[in-house]
């Protein structure tokens, strides 16, 4: 006879679930509202989403208070893991989402935002990301990953253009393959250690002294492929340019930030203990992947003719740059990763939003694609403020002081030097120099070329509304005045990373 | 006290920033008014500081606003000091600039760049205040560069004029050359004393050997030569007259160009240790005094004549400072600032009246329409010539006495002769402008007197030019606290009187001769046919001893050729080519490998699998190697590899 299962509510620690449940509730509410009364204006859903995201943010802030007082918290049969990494990642995820969602308030009507499902899916996706980062159980990571990915594929397709469908299908297919890699990797480790929890896997492997090194490496190879896909590391990156091009500029900017930070946190949890246990193979492979990703994507970015594709490759390069932190593996490097990503989210969201503001419904003859370089020729003459802001984001992406990403690059490279990776630091610096070329290319187009005939500058702000301008303003201010916030952010991040044992 | 210091220092900065807000908007009179008020505030604060120091005899105000640089042993604060020397300079700077600001409201009345002008002018005042108030060489250098920059902006204020931008660049570049010397001097100070604070550096100088001190003295003086336009770096000053006349009055007569003299006075503890350098400075000063005065004799540009006279008077100041008579130099600096600014502002009135005509031969008889300007310029010229009881008499005669008392009779002789020349060319100018026939009528000009408030604004300068002499005694008593000052007394009373009276008579004769020659009705606009215009001396002087020509032919042109060569041969063919080559390789690699991104889903999936397969094979190889590492070692050692 089975004995009844007795579980005390306290031991479940349900509060750990609160941040994820808030967006889920919000999504359900949006769906219910739509069932009761359809055809409501998108602004309602935007505000509702913002509201729930704000509550989510508060909940995360609350759990950060708990973390600072009591340290890492476990919950729900120890499946949930609220440590510093989880909290930092959730701050970035929710914060960036709050910056993204007002971008739906465009001047022109776009297909996707007329569906309430867009907003519901968006909130589900955020819950998925939050689950991914707030656990070290590989099964829950997988569930979170798939929840968010499936939602994301749909969101991309909702942009309702041929290229968007193509992008969604490509992303979905490749994502399915990557999901397969992930489960294979998890299976190998379960077979090796009898656990799906990363910390237990680490303990068991350490206890038997990595006896089955071959199998460990096979598992690692699968994981690397799976994360490589999510983080768009070469050669698993091929989806990125097509998907970025197919999705709306705003969505592309969002995709370059939020899914990646979630994947970075999982990668950090999984690879750090392996890096620290001195597996040379992993060091070498990560080194190669990081260098190739940074360098090759930079070269491809150079030869693009479309600004959005250029930014897509540049995002790949940035991801490679940040992946170096996982290789270096020191607290300083991991803290630099978060710092970099916070600054990057402002800058990159800002630059993609600038593209979004200039999104046209119909292309004029001289433009080969939505955001081709020659669309921006002579922009300073027709839309001076917009071009200055755009230039600002480009300079920040290129890492020019005193703008935001300069500090990110600075701390990242300095952590590489302190970690003993001098040559890597040099390669990172050289890549920043190459990157400067294609960012400046846009600036050259904007400031030094003559405008194309028939371009009166209206196009650059065709989509501008107060909401979009506010977001761009926030991004610009964040980019310019980053230098005042660097030290507090770095202290905060370092404390969180250090206290989580990374 | 500290509050006063900060007000005096920062009011001009506030004024500049305020005016800068309106640089792109059309003329707004209130900008000029507010700027003038703020500069006046600075003047009031400086006066209060002066009163505190002189009347209450309080110690110098020394503040450290904040640390600027602190790395290792290097410690440079933003520190400011108000002692007897700097407060004198502050008074001169703020007084003249207040007047010039007010005057400019009228002078720049019709100019499109009205607001911009005040932004630059106030920025200049701020830089000058930093220069004179800093308590260390680094701060002085900031101010030094700041005034250089503002001078560049103001000389080239009418940047649409080719000649103005050229003159601005010339001034800036020539000063940069001198600044290099100055910087080396500052480095040497730091290298040898470990500090840039005046206090610490001067203390350390006492223990250094003479050779080092000489080098420091020479290099610092090179900086001073540039800023004060001493030979051979003097050509920019005359060309700087392209700027608006108030600028010439403030920057290129009263304040900035005296910064070099200030530097020597400020570093008096250094220069009194190296009398040989001092003697060189004095000799150069005397030479420049004569040299510049000679060029002023024949020039036909009103402003350039006054500029040469400035140059000449700077020579006097250096002569005094070089001989160790620092307080005399400082006093002449002050007196000169008053009457020279007055002279320039008067010239500004004349220019306005004559629609920017500068050739005094085309004027004549203006005293009827411009009575006040005539009076002011005449008195300023009397002061410049050193006629009793005007300001110049007291300051210039003391320099002569100092030279005599120090037994440097050559310098004395040169300076005395120059005094005669000074009187001559000053009154040549006055006579040509205000007396004689009304030659301007030929050119159809209808002159008019300047605005009343401009004349009122000039009046303090007029009064000071007349009575500044009475300040000599109190000034001496104030300054002797800090400068190793001693009064120069010529022992024999008879000699003294002969010198005084003789000088006066000599100068007076020169004035009379000038009037006689140029105030008559026979003066015509020169057309290059008269005998004197074809004489060698005239041509030599008129062409400034052919020095600008020499610079152009033998320095600028070869330099340009070398630059061209470096550009075409070295930069384009070597540097550029290699950089382009690297860029080309990177770009080409990108072009070639972009085929990876075919957009075909099957290819993309294949790439993922390829990646995984590579990783897996590496894993297998490494795993096998780890497992059989023992036997591999055996095999390898059997092969003799390990």
């Amino acid at each position: 006879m089975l004995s009844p299962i007795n579980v005390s509510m306290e031991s479940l620690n349900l509060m750990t679930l609160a941040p994820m449940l808030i967006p889920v509730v919000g999504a359900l509410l949006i769906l219910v509202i739509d069932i009761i009364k359809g055809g409501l204006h998108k602004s309602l859903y935007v505000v509702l989403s913002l509201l729930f995201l704000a509550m989510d943010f508060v909940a995360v802030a609350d759990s950060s208070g708990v973390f600072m007082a009591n340290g890492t918290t476990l919950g729900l049969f120890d499946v949930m893991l609220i440590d510093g990494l989880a909290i930092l990642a959730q701050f970035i995820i929710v914060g960036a989402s709050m910056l993204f969602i007002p971008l739906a308030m465009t001047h022109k009507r776009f297909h996707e935002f007329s569906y309430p499902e867009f907003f519901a899916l968006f909130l589900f996706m955020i819950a998925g990301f939050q689950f991914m980062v707030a656990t070290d159980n590989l099964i829950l990571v997988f569930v979170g990953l798939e929840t968010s990915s499936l939602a994301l594929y749909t969101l991309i397709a909702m942009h309702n253009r041929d290229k968007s469908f193509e992008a969604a299908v490509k992303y979905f297919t490749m994502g399915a393959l990557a999901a397969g890699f992930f489960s294979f990797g998890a299976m190998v480790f379960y077979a090796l250690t009898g656990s799906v929890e990363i910390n237990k896997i680490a303990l068991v492997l350490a206890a038997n002294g990595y006896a089955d090194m071959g199998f460990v490496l096979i598992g690692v190879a699968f994981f690397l492929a799976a994360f490589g896909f999510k983080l768009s590391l070469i050669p698993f990156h091929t989806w990125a340019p097509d998907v970025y091009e197919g999705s709306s500029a705003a969505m592309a900017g969002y995709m370059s930030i939020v899914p990646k930070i979630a994947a970075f946190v999982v990668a950090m949890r999984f690879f750090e203990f392996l890096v620290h246990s001195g597996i040379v193979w992993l060091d070498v492979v990560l080194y190669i992947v990081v260098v190739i990703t940074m360098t090759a994507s930079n070269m491809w970015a150079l030869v693009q003719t479309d600004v959005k594709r250029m930014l897509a490759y540049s995002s790949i390069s940035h991801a490679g740059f940040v992946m170096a932190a996982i290789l270096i593996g020191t607290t300083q490097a991991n803290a630099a990763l978060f710092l970099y990503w916070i600054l990057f989210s402002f800058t990159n969201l800002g630059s993609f939003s600038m593209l979004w503001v200039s999104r046209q419904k119909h292309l004029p003859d001289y433009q080969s694609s939505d955001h081709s370089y020659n669309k921006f020729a002579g922009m300073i003459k027709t839309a001076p403020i917009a071009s200055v802001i755009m230039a600002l984001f480009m300079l920040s992406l290129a890492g020019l002081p005193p703008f935001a990403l300069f500090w990110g690059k600075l701390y990242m490279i300095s952590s590489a030097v302190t970690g003993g990776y001098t040559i890597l630091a040099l390669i990172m610096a050289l890549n920043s120099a190459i990157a400067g070329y294609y960012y400046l290319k846009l600036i050259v187009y904007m400031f030094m070329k003559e405008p194309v005939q028939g371009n009166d500058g209206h196009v650059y702000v065709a989509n501008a509304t107060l909401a979009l301008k506010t977001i761009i303003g926030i991004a610009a201010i964040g980019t310019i005045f980053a230098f005042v916030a660097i030290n507090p952010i770095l202290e905060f991040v370092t404390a969180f990373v250090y206290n989580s044992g990374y | 006290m500290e509050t006063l210091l900060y007000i005096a220092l920062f009011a001009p900065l506030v004024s500049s920033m305020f005016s800068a807000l309106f640089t792109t908007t059309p003329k707004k009179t209130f900008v000029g008014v507010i700027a003038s008020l703020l500069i006046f505030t600075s003047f009031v604060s400086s006066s209060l500081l002066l009163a505190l120091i002189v009347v209450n005899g309080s110690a110098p105000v020394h503040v450290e606003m904040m640390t600027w640089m602190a790395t290792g042993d290097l410690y440079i604060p933003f520190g400011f000091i108000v002692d007897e020397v700097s407060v004198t300079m502050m008074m001169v700077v703020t007084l003249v600039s207040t007047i010039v600001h007010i005057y400019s409201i009228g002078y720049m009345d019709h100019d499109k760049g009205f607001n911009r002008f005040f932004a630059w002018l106030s920025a200049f005042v701020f830089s000058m205040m930093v220069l004179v108030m800093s308590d260390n060489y680094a701060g002085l250098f900031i101010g030094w560069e700041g005034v250089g920059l503002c001078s560049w902006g103001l000389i080239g204020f009418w940047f649409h004029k080719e000649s103005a931008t050229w003159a601005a660049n010339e001034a800036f570049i020539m000063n940069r050359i001198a600044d290099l010397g100055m910087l080396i001097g500052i480095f040497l100070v730091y290298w040898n004393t470990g500090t840039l604070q005046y206090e610490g550096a001067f203390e350390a100088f006492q223990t250094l050997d003479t050779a080092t001190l000489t080098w420091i003295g020479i290099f610092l003086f090179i900086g001073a030569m540039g800023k004060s336009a001493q030979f051979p770096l003097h050509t920019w000053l005359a060309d700087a007259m392209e700027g608006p006349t108030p600028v010439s009055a403030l920057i290129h007569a009263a304040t900035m160009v005296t910064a070099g003299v200030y530097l020597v006075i400020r570093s008096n503890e250094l220069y009194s240790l190296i009398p040989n350098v001092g003697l060189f400075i004095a000799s150069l000063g005397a030479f420049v005094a004569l040299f510049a005065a000679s060029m002023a004799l024949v020039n036909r540009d009103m402003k350039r004549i006054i500029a040469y006279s400035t140059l000449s008077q700077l020579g006097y100041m250096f002569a005094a400072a070089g001989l160790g008579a620092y307080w005399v130099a400082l006093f002449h600096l002050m007196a000169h600032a008053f009457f020279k600014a007055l002279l320039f502002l008067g010239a500004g009135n004349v220019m306005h009246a004559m629609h920017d005509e500068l050739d005094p031969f085309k004027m004549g008889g203006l005293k009827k329409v411009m009575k006040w300007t005539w009076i002011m310029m005449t008195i300023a010229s009397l002061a410049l010539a050193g006629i009793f009881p005007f300001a110049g008499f007291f300051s210039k005669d003391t320099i002569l006495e100092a030279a005599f008392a120090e037994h440097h009779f050559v310098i004395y002789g040169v300076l005395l002769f120059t005094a005669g020349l000074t009187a001559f060319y000053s009154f040549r100018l006055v006579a040509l402008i205000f007396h004689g026939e009304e030659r301007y009528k030929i050119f159809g000009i209808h002159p008019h007197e300047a605005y009343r408030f401009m004349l009122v604004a000039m009046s303090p300068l007029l009064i000071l030019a007349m009575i500044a002499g009475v300040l000599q005694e109190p000034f001496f008593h104030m300054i002797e606290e800090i400068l190793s000052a001693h009064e120069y007394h010529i022992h024999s009373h008879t000699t003294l009187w002969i010198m005084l009276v003789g000088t006066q008579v000599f100068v007076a004769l020169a004035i009379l001769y000038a009037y006689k020659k140029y105030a008559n009705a026979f003066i015509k606009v020169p057309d290059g046919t008269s005998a004197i215009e074809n004489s060698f001396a005239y041509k030599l002087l008129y062409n400034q001893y052919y020095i600008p020509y020499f610079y152009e032919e033998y320095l600028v042109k070869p330099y340009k050729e070398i630059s061209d060569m470096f550009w075409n041969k070295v930069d384009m063919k070597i540097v550029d080519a290699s950089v382009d080559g690297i860029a080309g390789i990177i770009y080409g690699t990108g072009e070639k490998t972009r085929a990876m991104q075919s957009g075909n889903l099957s290819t993309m999936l294949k790439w993922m699998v390829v990646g995984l397969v590579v990783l897996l094979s590496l894993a297998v190889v490494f795993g096998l190697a780890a497992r059989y590492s023992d036997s591999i070692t055996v095999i390898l050692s059997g092969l003799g590899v390990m």
Side-chain angles (χ1 to χ4, degrees):
Chain A
M1 170 154 177
L2 291 168
S3 56
I5 302 169
N6 272 320
V7 179
S8 72
M9 286 304 278
E10 288 85 54
S11 73
L12 282 180
N13 213 351
L14 284 175
M15 276 312 287
T16 53
L17 275 178
M20 298 84 192
L21 289 183
I22 290 169
V24 171
V25 170
L28 292 175
L29 182 70
I30 287 176
L31 290 178
V32 169
I33 290 175
D34 183 47
I35 292 171
I36 296 171
K37 182 159 173 25
L40 293 168
H41 191 256
K42 63 183 177 185
S43 54
L44 170 73
Y45 300 117
V46 170
V47 171
L48 268 181
S49 312
L50 260 183
L51 191 68
F52 277 95
L53 287 173
M55 283 159 60
D56 195 355
F57 200 83
V58 172
V60 175
D62 182 56
S63 56
S64 81
V66 174
F67 175 76
M68 281 202 272
N70 304 335
T72 306
T73 327
L74 297 171
L76 209 75
F77 308 105
D78 294 354
V79 167
M80 300 300 291
L81 169 75
I82 307 295
D83 63 357
L85 299 192
I87 291 163
L88 287 174
Q90 290 187 67
F91 270 131
I92 297 178
I93 291 168
V94 179
S97 305
M98 283 166 78
L99 286 179
F100 165 77
I101 202 72
L103 296 179
M105 304 294 290
T106 45
H107 184 67
K108 297 209 168 99
R109 261 185 92 250
F110 284 100
H111 190 75
E112 62 257 54
F113 304 124
S114 54
Y115 294 113
E117 288 87 344
F118 180 89
F119 299 95
L121 279 170
F122 183 72
L123 291 176
F124 280 133
M125 176 176 71
I126 290 162
F129 288 133
Q130 285 183 283
F131 273 118
M132 242 173 107
V133 295
T135 178
D136 74 343
N137 185 309
L138 290 175
I139 295 177
L140 190 56
V141 169
F142 187 72
V143 171
L145 182 67
E146 286 310 295
T147 312
S148 55
S149 297
L150 287 170
L152 184 56
Y153 305 146
T154 323
L155 292 180
I156 294 168
M158 284 172 96
H159 195 47
N160 208 26
R161 283 179 151 202
D162 285 348
K163 287 219 166 187
S164 316
F165 301 143
E166 184 191 328
V169 170
K170 279 180 180 170
Y171 199 13
F172 172 72
T173 319
M174 296 177 77
L177 187 60
F181 291 163
F182 185 88
S183 32
F184 255 81
M187 185 197 76
V188 170
F189 277 101
Y190 185 69
L192 276 174
T193 63
S195 174
V196 288
E197 287 181 38
I198 296 172
N199 62 339
K200 293 213 177 102
I201 293 174
L203 284 177
V204 174
L205 286 179
N208 69 11
Y210 291 88
D212 300 306
M213 185 54 104
F215 290 104
V216 172
L217 293 187
I218 288 173
V220 172
F222 275 112
F223 269 125
L224 202 55
F227 290 123
F229 166 76
K230 212 57 202 168
L231 295 169
S232 66
L233 304 177
I234 292 173
F236 309 101
H237 72 286
T238 43
W239 58 274
D242 288 358
V243 170
Y244 280 41
E245 197 184 3
S247 30
S248 67
M251 187 50 100
Y254 185 77
M255 274 196 302
S256 67
I257 297 159
V258 174
K260 283 188 183 166
I261 188 63
F264 270 128
V265 169
V266 181
M268 204 185 274
R269 288 187 197 288
F270 188 80
F271 288 121
E272 285 303 272
F273 83 88
L274 291 167
V275 167
H276 286 298
S277 34
I279 301 179
V280 186
W281 184 87
L282 187 61
D283 273 355
V284 173
V285 166
L286 273 181
Y287 204 119
I288 294 170
V289 166
V290 164
V291 169
I292 291 186
T293 303
M294 270 192 290
T295 315
S297 56
N298 264 341
M299 289 177 180
W300 293 324
L302 279 180
V303 294
Q304 298 306 316
T305 53
D306 184 276
V307 177
K308 203 159 81 174
R309 277 184 86 90
M310 180 275 278
L311 284 177
Y313 279 108
S314 104
S315 303
I316 297 175
S317 172
H318 283 284
F321 196 88
V322 168
M323 191 67 193
I326 308 249
L327 166 64
I328 298 161
T330 55
T331 304
Q332 195 196 0
N334 288 334
L337 183 149
F338 283 104
L339 176 73
Y340 193 98
W341 219 250
I342 290 168
L343 302 172
F344 181 61
S345 44
F346 274 102
T347 310
N348 217 31
L349 208 57
S351 41
F352 274 105
S353 304
M354 287 303 295
L355 296 184
W356 183 227
V357 166
S358 68
R359 168 77 150 75
Q360 305 127 296
K361 286 247 169 188
H362 306 286
L363 293 182
D365 296 334
Y366 60 85
Q367 261 178 255
S368 51
S369 56
D370 266 339
H371 305 286
S372 61
Y373 273 104
N374 56 11
K375 170 179 171 184
F376 297 93
M379 186 170 168
I380 185 69
K381 295 204 175 118
T382 46
I385 294 176
S387 55
V388 167
I389 292 178
M390 189 78 181
L392 170 78
F393 290 134
M394 289 302 124
L395 291 179
S396 173
L397 282 175
L400 258 68
F403 303 122
L405 265 189
F406 163 72
W407 305 99
K409 284 186 196 263
L410 184 72
Y411 283 102
M412 194 57 103
I413 293 178
S414 91
S415 76
V417 173
T418 5
Y421 289 87
T422 321
I423 296 175
L424 182 66
L426 202 64
I427 296 175
M428 288 160 92
L430 281 178
N431 266 297
S432 303
I434 300 177
Y437 185 92
Y438 52 77
Y439 295 125
L440 290 179
K441 187 169 158 189
L442 180 60
I443 294 182
V444 168
Y445 265 89
M446 289 192 300
F447 287 76
M448 297 177 189
K449 301 232 172 186
E450 286 301 313
V452 178
Q453 281 287 315
N455 181 349
D456 61 354
H458 174 70
V459 54
Y460 303 124
V461 287
N463 256 329
T465 55
L466 191 61
L468 268 69
K469 283 180 186 167
T470 312
I471 296 302
I472 290 170
I474 292 172
I477 289 170
T479 307
I480 300 170
F481 293 103
F483 62 91
V484 292
I486 296 298
N487 268 325
I489 293 180
L490 197 66
E491 274 170 29
F492 182 80
V493 167
T494 310
F496 271 58
V497 171
Y498 182 74
N499 288 329
S500 324
Y502 285 91
Chain B
M1 299 269 281
E2 287 189 16
T3 324
L4 282 177
L5 185 152
Y6 285 130
I7 292 174
L9 179 62
F10 286 109
L13 179 66
V14 173
S15 163
S16 170
M17 309 240 268
F18 175 78
S19 312
L21 290 177
F22 300 96
T23 42
T24 53
T25 55
K27 186 207 153 183
K28 291 194 172 53
T29 312
F30 73 84
V31 172
V33 174
I34 288 176
S36 307
L37 281 175
L38 281 164
I39 303 292
F40 183 68
T41 315
S42 178
F43 167 66
V44 172
S45 307
S46 307
S47 316
L48 290 173
L49 282 168
L50 176 74
L52 281 170
I53 286 179
V54 174
V55 181
N56 294 2
S58 37
V61 194
H62 196 169
V63 296
E64 199 177 305
M65 193 171 73
M66 60 192 218
T67 306
W68 178 28
M69 283 184 213
T71 48
D73 291 337
L74 178 66
Y75 177 74
I76 304 173
F78 279 119
F80 298 101
I81 187 163
V82 177
D83 58 8
E84 287 80 356
V85 173
S86 51
V87 85
T88 311
M89 291 298 290
M90 286 163 69
M91 285 300 294
V92 171
V93 171
T94 51
L95 174 63
V96 178
S97 44
T98 306
I99 289 165
V100 167
H101 268 75
I102 299 171
Y103 179 88
S104 304
I105 299 176
Y107 190 85
M108 300 302 284
D109 198 20
H110 301 296
D111 200 282
K112 268 189 258 167
F114 184 83
N115 304 336
R116 182 165 58 91
F117 183 78
F118 282 95
W120 273 114
L121 205 61
S122 299
F124 165 78
V125 179
F126 173 67
S127 312
M128 194 67 202
M129 293 298 269
V130 172
L131 195 162
V132 299
M133 290 168 75
S134 172
D135 73 343
N136 60 67
Y137 281 110
L140 176 124
F141 191 71
I142 296 180
W144 194 269
E145 292 302 305
V147 291
L149 174 71
C150 296
S151 158
W152 174 82
L154 285 165
I155 297 172
F157 185 77
W158 290 310
F159 50 81
H160 45 84
K161 268 165 63 186
E162 175 75 28
S163 55
T165 50
W166 191 87
N169 290 338
E170 185 197 16
F172 195 76
I173 293 166
M174 213 167 254
N175 270 297
R176 297 301 309 164
I177 296 170
D179 288 347
L180 177 65
M182 168 111 174
L183 263 183
I184 294 174
I186 292 177
F187 290 154
L188 283 177
V189 170
Y190 178 70
W191 193 265
N192 288 296
T193 67
T195 177
L196 289 176
Q197 304 290 108
Y198 296 141
E199 242 178 332
F202 294 159
E203 215 166 277
F205 284 155
Q206 311 295 334
T207 58
L208 291 178
D209 61 294
T210 320
T212 316
L213 288 175
T214 307
W215 282 117
I216 294 176
I218 289 174
F219 279 116
L220 285 180
F221 182 64
I222 290 177
M225 277 164 70
K227 194 84 14 198
S228 296
Q230 294 298 290
F231 180 84
L233 299 174
H234 63 281
T235 53
W236 68 267
L237 185 60
D239 292 329
M241 297 300 127
E242 286 290 342
T245 310
V247 172
S248 311
L250 176 60
I251 301 184
H252 305 115
T255 54
M256 185 185 84
V257 289
T258 62
V261 182
Y262 169 78
L263 176 66
V264 174
I265 295 172
R266 179 50 89 186
S267 311
N268 65 80
E269 302 204 25
L270 167 67
Y271 286 103
S272 46
L273 292 172
I274 37 173
N276 286 337
V277 176
L279 185 59
F280 169 74
I281 294 175
S283 314
L284 184 74
F287 166 69
V288 170
L290 178 64
F291 169 76
S294 67
M295 290 191 286
L297 291 177
V298 298
N299 207 289
R300 281 180 47 195
D301 180 321
M302 176 170 63
K303 282 182 74 182
R304 277 172 180 265
I305 294 171
I306 309 180
Y308 285 128
S309 108
T310 305
L311 210 48
S312 172
Q313 298 304 310
L314 288 168
Y316 273 94
M317 292 174 212
F318 275 117
L323 293 175
Y326 301 106
W327 75 272
V328 183
L330 190 60
F331 185 64
H332 189 52
L333 187 161
M334 183 170 87
H336 170 257
F338 299 144
F339 58 70
K340 188 52 67 64
L342 181 62
L343 201 54
F344 258 120
L345 296 182
N349 288 352
V350 173
M351 270 177 75
H352 245 206
M354 298 295 298
H355 302 286
D356 292 341
E357 179 55 59
L358 282 164
D359 186 348
F361 281 95
K362 298 183 180 168
M363 301 173 187
L366 276 175
K367 72 175 174 186
K368 284 171 209 143
V369 279
M370 304 182 69
K371 193 167 143 236
W372 277 105
T373 306
W374 169 57
I375 293 173
M376 286 182 182
M377 281 188 76
T378 308
I379 288 175
S381 299
L382 284 172
L384 174 59
I387 295 290
F388 183 82
F390 301 109
F393 168 76
F394 292 91
S395 56
K396 208 152 86 179
D397 245 35
T398 324
I399 295 179
L400 292 177
E401 279 169 35
F404 195 83
E406 295 277 320
H407 305 294
H408 290 294
F409 299 114
V410 178
I411 292 178
Y412 170 76
V414 170
L415 292 181
L416 178 64
F417 179 61
T418 306
L421 296 185
T422 309
F424 174 77
Y425 67 69
S426 307
F427 280 91
R428 168 177 175 262
L429 188 64
V430 171
L432 282 172
I433 296 175
F434 293 104
H435 301 275
E437 284 289 300
E438 290 158 339
R439 292 180 298 273
Y440 58 81
K441 283 183 178 160
I442 309 170
F443 303 96
I445 297 169
H446 303 285
H448 56 88
E449 180 62 293
Y451 292 122
R452 179 144 300 211
F453 76 86
M454 291 161 75
L455 296 171
V456 173
M458 289 160 71
S459 57
L461 289 177
L462 176 67
I463 294 165
L464 282 167
M466 289 195 285
I467 62 146
V470 302
L471 298 173
Q472 193 182 19
E473 277 304 305
F475 179 77
F476 175 75
H477 289 301
M478 175 184 90
I479 214 79
E480 69 181 344
E481 300 274 321
I482 178 163
L483 296 178
S484 54
H486 54 97
E487 284 189 88
Y488 292 93
H489 287 300
I490 289 151
H491 297 298
S492 145
H493 273 280
T494 330
T495 324
L496 178 66
W497 278 105
I498 291 174
M499 273 172 57
L500 275 182
V501 175
T503 312
Q504 289 292 301
V505 169
F506 176 52
V507 168
L509 283 175
I511 293 173
L512 286 178
Y513 179 63
Y515 265 115
K516 183 174 172 298
K517 195 159 165 36
Y518 291 105
N520 57 46
F522 306 108
I523 290 292
K524 291 277 172 293
V525 182
D527 48 12
T529 50
S530 64
I532 187 156
E533 279 176 90
N534 287 315
S535 69
F536 171 73
Y538 181 91
K539 278 188 178 164
L540 184 70
L541 293 179
Y542 192 76
N543 289 307
Q544 306 166 38
Y545 294 96
Y546 293 99
I547 288 172
Y549 175 78
F550 174 82
Y551 284 173
E552 175 71 28
E553 285 297 315
Y554 297 99
L555 293 177
V556 176
K557 280 188 181 166
Y559 184 78
K560 188 171 181 306
E561 271 166 30
I562 294 174
S563 306
D564 271 342
M565 194 189 78
F566 270 97
W567 172 43
N568 284 322
K569 300 267 160 64
V570 180
D571 191 61
M572 295 303 285
K573 295 229 168 96
I574 299 172
V575 181
D576 246 39
S578 50
V579 171
D580 284 353
I582 294 170
I585 292 170
I586 293 173
Y587 201 86
T589 318
E591 278 290 355
K592 277 181 200 127
T593 51
R594 72 187 294 187
M596 183 177 180
Q597 193 69 39
S598 63
N600 183 320
L601 184 55
S602 311
T603 324
M604 291 158 92
L605 288 171
K606 272 180 211 153
W607 272 113
M608 284 183 76
V609 176
V610 166
L612 179 69
V613 169
V614 170
L615 288 178
L616 281 176
S617 357
L618 283 174
V620 170
V621 170
F622 191 82
L624 288 177
R627 168 164 290 186
Y628 301 109
S629 58
D630 297 340
S631 36
I632 291 174
T633 323
V634 172
I635 296 169
L636 287 177
S637 60
L639 291 169
V641 177
M642 283 173 79

